[in-house]
Amino acid sequence: MTALRFPDVPRGRLPRRFPVRHALCAVPLVLVAVAAVRHRSVLAEGFGQLRTASWPWLLAAAAATCLTWVAAACTRQGAVVQPLPKKRLLVTQFAAGAANHLLPTGLGASAVNLRFMTVCGVPPARSSAALALYLLAESVGRLGLLAALLVAFPDALRPGTLQPAGTSAEPPLLSGGSALVPAVAGALVLIAAALAFVGRLRRAVCAFLRDALGEARSVHTRPARALALWGGSLAFPACQAAGLAAVGRALDLPVPPAHMALAYLAATVAVALVPTPGGIGSVEAALIVALVAAGGPAAVATAVVLAYRVITVWLPLVPGAVTLGALVRLKVI
């Protein structure tokens, strides 16, 4: 009888049955479970609002949400000269959305896309430059849409409706300006001092700026890339705002759709610097305040925001986390 032979295993060591990559695949699902438990009351109320809403408008909101991933893929491709695999790029944006809701705002999607570009053969310096160009274009697109809507509908937001009678009319930001201005000035002085006296940091920043400017020039010499970059950066916040407007119509919020879009853009710009995972908590509060300022009743505005966040955040979160784990296992990212 032929003797069975087993691979030699070094003494004192066991074979690796659970590679690190397999363990990382489960991390997104664990984070989703933790987030769902922490926000279970919001989830229950949000799903309750969906039961009473008009389904055609909810489907329109879901379609607008899906289009945001297409817009993000277009903008990502427009930010880099090297062509990226289209299908994998689109799937990566879906997975990056889940990562963005599980980590502080912007970090999850940025990390996923930076890794994706590196795997696709884009050099690290150009990947970082493309990421910076994407963030710049997305910010310019969001602020540009907000400015255009403010010009078109200057009376859409009425902050005075949020202010109790007898209180000061001075905005909180201005009332605390005496403390805010020195803090901002001090931070700018510290940054300038660091760049002036730390040579290695200064050289690294200068090299990054050269790479970023070079990548931006290369992108804008190609009309297709420039169109994808700026078209996608405008379409992304427009689709998000359209989704909120559709949910508002589904729940009969008495606010014009254009005013709801303006409220959405104003709220997201206001909370852009709040380091919470996916803006969970801060975005809801800002959206409710903005919709009330646009003329909506507080109770209906709260229902609209909860239903909107369920459609755009919580429903895609589990499949997005599964997709993220699959991309990690398949070494796409």
Side-chain angles (χ1 to χ4, degrees):
M1 181 180 294
T2 304
L4 296 176
R5 298 180 60 85
F6 295 92
D8 295 332
V9 178
R11 187 182 300 273
R13 296 181 60 184
L14 296 176
R16 294 177 59 191
R17 296 181 180 275
F18 300 101
V20 175
R21 184 174 293 274
H22 291 178
L24 290 176
C25 295
V27 171
L29 288 175
V30 173
L31 293 177
V32 169
V34 172
V37 170
R38 290 181 57 189
H39 300 89
R40 56 186 179 274
S41 60
V42 175
L43 276 171
E45 189 171 351
F47 277 106
Q49 300 298 337
L50 291 179
R51 289 197 297 268
T52 62
S54 172
W55 280 100
W57 284 111
L58 292 182
L59 292 176
T65 301
C66 294
L67 288 177
T68 59
W69 303 320
V70 179
C74 290
T75 312
R76 298 284 183 186
Q77 177 60 89
V80 63
V81 174
Q82 180 175 328
L84 302 172
K86 294 181 177 61
K87 293 181 180 179
R88 280 187 285 168
L89 176 61
L90 181 59
V91 173
T92 301
Q93 301 320 301
F94 178 58
N100 216 37
H101 294 307
L102 298 174
L103 295 174
T105 304
L107 293 182
S110 297
V112 169
N113 280 283
L114 194 63
R115 176 62 182 168
F116 173 71
M117 286 187 287
T118 303
V119 171
C120 289
V122 182
R126 290 175 57 192
S127 298
S128 302
L131 179 61
L133 183 57
Y134 169 86
L135 295 175
L136 175 63
E138 201 276 334
S139 300
V140 170
R142 189 174 297 272
L143 290 173
L145 280 179
L146 175 60
L149 288 176
L150 283 173
V151 171
F153 307 99
D155 299 324
L157 298 180
R158 299 184 292 275
T161 59
L162 304 173
Q163 184 176 333
T167 58
S168 172
E170 184 179 17
L173 181 61
L174 296 180
S175 62
S178 58
L180 179 63
V181 172
V184 173
L188 293 177
V189 169
L190 289 177
I191 294 174
L195 293 177
F197 295 106
V198 181
R200 183 176 299 178
L201 177 61
R202 184 175 66 251
R203 287 191 296 270
V205 171
C206 291
F208 173 76
L209 290 176
R210 283 195 301 269
D211 292 334
L213 291 175
E215 190 69 16
R217 283 194 299 267
S218 300
V219 163
H220 286 87
T221 59
R222 299 168 178 256
R225 291 289 186 270
L227 179 62
L229 176 66
W230 295 107
S233 66
L234 289 171
F236 183 73
C239 290
Q240 290 180 321
L244 178 65
V247 175
R249 295 298 299 272
L251 291 172
D252 296 323
L253 181 69
V255 176
H259 293 190
M260 283 189 272
L262 176 56
Y264 173 82
L265 293 171
T268 53
V269 168
V271 301
L273 298 179
V274 178
T276 57
I280 293 176
S282 58
V283 170
E284 284 88 344
L287 281 176
I288 292 170
V289 170
L291 289 177
V292 172
V300 183
T302 301
V304 168
V305 170
L306 292 177
Y308 173 72
R309 292 294 276 177
V310 166
I311 292 174
T312 59
V313 176
W314 295 104
L315 286 180
L317 199 54
V318 171
V322 172
T323 303
L324 180 61
L327 293 178
V328 171
R329 184 168 185 176
L330 296 173
K331 300 183 180 181
V332 175
I333 59 175

